[in-house]
Amino acid sequence: MKVTVDEDRCCGAGQCVMLAPDVFDQREDDGIVVLLEAEPDAAHHTAVREAADVCPAAAITVHEDS
Amino acid sequence: MTLSEPGTDELHYPLPAPDPLDPPKEWAELRDRCPVATVTLPSGDHAQLLTRYDDVKQVLSDPRFPRVGGGQGARISDSGGVFDSDMASALPQSGPAHQQWRRLVMRWFTAKRMAALRPRIEAMADSLIDEMLAHGQPADLKAALGFPLPVWVICTMLGVPDSDRDRFSYWSDTLLNLTRYGRDEIVAAQTEFLGYMQAHVQAKRAQPGDDLLSELTTEPTADGTLLTDAQLVGTGQGLLVAGHETTANMISKMVAMLLADRRRWEQLLADPSLVRTAVEESLRFDANPGIGMPRYIAEDVALGSAALPAGTTVMCSMGAANRDARAFDGAEEMDLTRSPNPHLSFGSGPHSCLGQALARTELQVTLEVLLRRLPGLDLAVPVEELQRVEGLAVGGLRELPVRW
Ligand code: HEM
Ligand code: SF4
């Protein structure tokens, strides 16, 4: 699994960090998403998919087959 | 009421709801047969009501479409209330200026900050429950816990002393109310609140504390300017107005939904790890979230269901969208394990709720503490006797009588 984030779309809702804190973080100064793991371990896949599905800004893209 | 001949029957908005926890009957019919429906607002102006998930999501997340207000688009009501007032106009509502403000404030609402705030919120919930227990049963959970908790939290963030919390609650109530208070009362409350906040901001400038407003007095935006006093006052007001009644009502509605069918409560007692998904499902399933979000359609746009011409005012019903079977399996069932749950209760896109991490934290903590302290919690009246609060931009229950 490969993950990308679009900082320009991110509205800082923090859903991704609440769901998968090992994969996503937020910048200290404005809450915008920081991708910690572009290729997360299988253990995180479910949480990452959920984060992508519920991100209110559709700022997270998951590429399953790579 | 029939919708078979659109245009002949005037549809008055907000729609009346039959039972306290059930949605208006019209939602399903509108979604299926009239997803863009002309409604008459309390002001007499007209708007187009959107009820399908895809349409509501598309409009809410389109940055070109601002909220109504400032003379643009239909008026919601004659008596003021948050949507029509110019109270929030000190804050940029859209465009780059809005994004700058948002990014500045956002740092106070990150998931990490919320995790750090969690124990304090838990302590507040515990002490409110102590007090409720001391008064004995039955008790009104809304007055004892749901209403005070979020205002305590916001006051803490704003550096407002505990002794002023009750005044804050009252101001917040009048500012959001579309019909319960008269114009004079609303204006008087707004004036009082404004005066208080101005003095408060000046006090924070003179003597900064460890709170959001103090930090904002010295923190420049991306283009290097500092927020003005008016913008700081607006920030404080905006957070109170946006974050108090919404969360207060959601706490009561969530607990009511979970107790209305006590198997839900027992499911949570058996497996408290469901608290997170149960909170999301309560947000989705809320049949009385308020009137929805109005948007001014500034340019022609094609929705899945219809094309909207520029100049239209739409009312996005997130509540109806959240029960759209096109988007959710078993949409009319409350499923505490539902995941993912991309409900629209916090809006969507660049304007989506800035306080959603805080709201989620407050709802999760409240539920955890209630499950731990009061496993025997139950409604003290039959569900049918619960009463809706009418006339609020944010829907809710008048009281939530419980025993334990
Ligand atoms: C369950 C509780 C809550 C619900 C259901 C809720 C819902 C919403 C909704 C629907 C919007 C508008 C989104 C749009 O226009 O598209 C919004 C905006 C907003 N909310 Fe919340 N909210 C809640 C709690 C809070 C809290 C606790 C705070 C902060 C203390 C807060 C602060 C805000 C702010 C500042 C905005 C405006 C954001 C902007 O213009 O960029 N909300 N909220
Ligand atoms: S959930 Fe989406 S909008 Fe929220 S912080 Fe993460 S990437 Fe940004």
Side-chain angles (χ1 to χ4, degrees):
Chain A
M1 175 192 277
K2 263 205 180 106
V3 185
T4 52
V5 295
D6 183 344
E7 291 181 12
D8 292 335
R9 295 184 75 114
C10 172
C11 61
Q15 272 279 73
C16 52
V17 188
M18 283 181 154
L19 289 166
D22 294 328
V23 181
F24 303 101
D25 198 357
Q26 284 170 287
R27 293 204 297 243
E28 281 293 323
D29 54 338
D30 58 8
I32 297 300
V33 63
V34 176
L35 186 61
L36 301 175
E37 283 290 343
E39 297 184 34
D41 291 346
H44 300 306
H45 287 186
T46 311
V48 169
R49 275 183 214 117
E50 181 170 358
D53 283 337
V54 299
C55 169
I60 301 170
T61 312
V62 173
H63 311 270
E64 291 284 356
D65 38 37
S66 42
Chain B
M1 190 211 69
T2 164
L3 303 168
S4 50
E5 294 164 273
T8 53
D9 261 339
E10 207 173 283
L11 197 53
H12 283 278
Y13 201 75
L15 302 167
D19 293 306
L21 300 179
D22 290 329
K25 287 190 296 293
E26 290 86 351
W27 278 5
E29 220 176 324
L30 287 166
R31 270 191 313 256
D32 287 342
R33 296 167 53 192
C34 194
V36 183
T38 303
V39 293
T40 308
L41 302 169
S43 66
D45 286 0
H46 294 286
Q48 302 298 315
L49 178 67
L50 304 183
T51 45
R52 282 196 188 161
Y53 184 88
D54 287 346
D55 294 343
V56 169
K57 182 165 178 155
Q58 184 185 341
V59 168
L60 287 180
S61 43
D62 194 322
R64 293 173 304 171
F65 306 149
R67 299 194 186 116
V68 300
Q72 209 180 29
R75 292 163 313 130
I76 307 298
S77 80
D78 291 327
S79 60
V82 66
F83 292 119
D84 294 335
S85 80
D86 53 9
M87 174 207 71
S89 64
L91 288 181
Q93 291 290 298
S94 61
H98 166 261
Q99 281 301 315
Q100 261 188 19
W101 170 81
R102 197 176 152 117
R103 289 193 173 197
L104 206 53
V105 178
M106 202 68 225
R107 75 174 66 181
W108 279 83
F109 291 90
T110 60
K112 259 192 209 152
R113 287 256 190 185
M114 292 310 127
L117 199 57
R118 203 174 242 272
R120 290 179 75 178
I121 300 178
E122 196 173 333
M124 290 178 195
D126 264 314
S127 89
L128 287 166
I129 289 174
D130 287 341
E131 206 169 312
M132 181 171 94
L133 295 182
H135 283 86
Q137 49 186 322
D140 174 10
L141 189 101
K142 181 178 179 186
L145 180 63
F147 204 70
L149 184 73
V151 86
W152 285 20
V153 173
I154 293 172
C155 286
T156 305
M157 289 184 104
L158 297 180
V160 167
D162 298 359
S163 50
D164 290 329
R165 288 166 173 171
D166 289 345
R167 297 167 76 195
F168 264 68
S169 300
Y170 169 73
W171 290 327
S172 169
D173 206 27
T174 54
L175 292 174
L176 265 177
N177 214 305
L178 294 183
T179 52
R180 196 196 319 158
Y181 297 95
R183 171 129 220 137
D184 292 348
E185 258 175 310
I186 294 175
V187 170
Q190 285 195 25
T191 311
E192 215 177 67
F193 184 31
L194 196 72
Y196 181 94
M197 283 303 294
Q198 276 161 348
H200 183 65
V201 162
Q202 274 152 22
K204 291 290 163 191
R205 271 202 202 284
Q207 213 170 21
D210 177 23
D211 57 81
L212 180 153
L213 286 180
S214 298
E215 192 176 304
L216 289 180
T217 58
T218 55
E219 195 62 44
T221 61
D223 67 9
T225 55
L226 287 175
L227 294 187
T228 62
D229 271 14
Q231 284 173 324
L232 289 169
V233 168
T235 300
Q237 286 179 324
L239 294 181
L240 181 68
V241 167
H244 178 209
E245 300 235 26
T246 43
T247 315
N249 282 306
M250 197 58 227
I251 288 173
S252 320
K253 287 182 289 188
M254 170 179 74
V255 175
M257 284 187 270
L258 295 172
L259 294 177
D261 178 346
R262 214 163 174 287
R263 283 171 305 181
R264 296 170 182 155
W265 186 255
E266 275 150 23
Q267 190 184 357
L268 286 171
L269 285 173
D271 184 1
S273 74
L274 294 178
V275 161
R276 183 182 70 80
T277 47
V279 164
E280 298 306 315
E281 183 68 344
S282 304
L283 287 158
R284 184 191 74 86
F285 208 61
D286 178 10
N288 183 18
I291 61 173
M293 287 310 296
R295 284 289 198 274
Y296 181 72
I297 302 299
E299 298 169 33
D300 292 353
V301 66
L303 301 181
S305 325
L308 296 176
T312 309
T313 297
V314 294
M315 181 60 81
C316 297
S317 172
M318 290 93 88
N322 282 339
R323 286 178 182 240
D324 188 345
R326 294 162 194 80
F328 297 95
D329 290 337
E332 296 294 343
E333 298 300 318
M334 189 176 192
D335 173 1
L336 304 186
T337 67
R338 190 184 294 276
S339 161
N341 192 342
H343 62 74
L344 299 175
S345 304
F346 293 118
S348 188
H351 282 267
S352 74
C353 180
L354 180 130
Q356 54 187 287
L358 175 58
R360 289 189 158 100
T361 306
E362 291 182 56
L363 290 165
Q364 289 169 12
V365 167
T366 302
L367 195 47
E368 281 162 9
V369 174
L370 283 174
L371 288 165
R372 168 167 59 76
R373 299 282 308 271
L374 303 171
L377 194 69
D378 206 349
L379 293 178
V381 297
V383 182
E384 312 80 66
E385 284 177 25
L386 295 175
Q387 287 188 345
R388 288 187 177 231
V389 177
E390 298 299 341
L392 280 180
V394 181
L397 298 168
R398 201 177 293 276
E399 288 181 349
L400 185 60
V402 293
R403 51 190 169 77
W404 49 84

